């Protein structure tokens, strides 16, 4: 695919608990993106600390780490034209009440601490996380 890029999407514990994995995959596929890798993982504290390194000084980090280890996570690498930017739009705002209806967070969640899904904001950060 010409000008194709890849992004990293993680469906968080609440996304699995609410049985939203199929719906989220369906939305990305209907948009025309192709899943090229998918895995169900139980996250470790070390992996999460590396993943959330930019939040290391935030007071909510301990609770976030506990939450992210409470249930498995589905990680997916998606490929397609402008998948990073389009994927972020599909996710909605980090704070669900700020998300528009029709986005994943706008349709399925109400609080920032349980916002269902994680997605990368640049091709470079996606490639780093994919690695």
């Amino acid at each position: 695919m010409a000008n194709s890029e890849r992004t990293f999407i993680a469906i968080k514990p609440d996304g699995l608990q609410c049985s939203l994995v199929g719906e989220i995959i369906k939305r990305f596929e209907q948009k025309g993106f192709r899943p090229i890798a998918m895995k169900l993982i139980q996250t470790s504290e070390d992996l999460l600390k590396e993943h959330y390194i930019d939040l290391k000084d935030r007071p909510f980090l301990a609770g976030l780490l506990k939450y992210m280890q409470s249930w498995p996570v589905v990680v997916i690498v998606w490929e397609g034209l402008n998948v990073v930017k389009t994927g972020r739009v599909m996710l909605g705002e980090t704070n669900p009440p700020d998300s528009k209806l029709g986005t994943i967070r706008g349709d399925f969640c109400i609080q920032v601490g349980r916002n269902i899904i994680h997605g990368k904001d640049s091709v470079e950060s996606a490639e780093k996380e994919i690695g």
Side-chain angles (χ1 to χ4, degrees):
M1 180 182 292
N3 299 317
S4 182
E5 60 189 31
R6 299 185 310 169
T7 195
F8 176 88
I9 297 291
I11 304 172
K12 297 177 181 181
D14 53 323
L16 276 75
Q17 291 167 350
C18 295
S19 301
L20 293 172
V21 175
E23 175 65 27
I24 291 168
I25 290 171
K26 176 182 163 187
R27 287 181 182 214
F28 274 83
E29 287 182 326
Q30 286 179 330
K31 195 69 174 174
F33 300 128
R34 186 171 68 101
I36 59 172
M38 185 181 330
K39 185 175 4 176
L40 177 71
I41 63 170
Q42 184 66 51
T43 55
S44 69
E45 186 172 351
D46 289 341
L47 176 66
L48 290 168
K49 283 182 176 178
E50 181 180 338
H51 176 78
Y52 289 116
I53 190 74
D54 56 323
L55 303 176
K56 67 180 171 144
D57 297 323
R58 304 299 287 269
F60 58 82
L61 182 60
L64 177 61
L65 297 179
K66 183 177 178 183
Y67 154 67
M68 290 297 291
Q69 292 179 79
S70 69
W71 202 269
V73 174
V74 173
V75 293
I76 309 169
V77 177
W78 291 95
E79 183 176 68
L81 182 63
N82 298 316
V83 69
V84 172
K85 182 178 181 181
T86 304
R88 291 290 293 189
V89 171
M90 292 171 63
L91 268 57
E93 300 298 322
T94 301
N95 187 15
D98 296 336
S99 295
K100 294 179 181 176
L101 291 177
T103 67
I104 293 166
R105 291 176 178 147
D107 290 349
F108 300 117
C109 55
I110 57 173
Q111 62 176 312
V112 72
R114 301 289 184 267
N115 65 5
I116 295 180
I117 195 164
H118 162 82
K120 298 313 292 179
D121 59 357
S122 72
V123 173
E124 296 77 22
S125 64
E127 288 300 326
K128 180 181 175 190
E129 203 153 308
I130 290 166

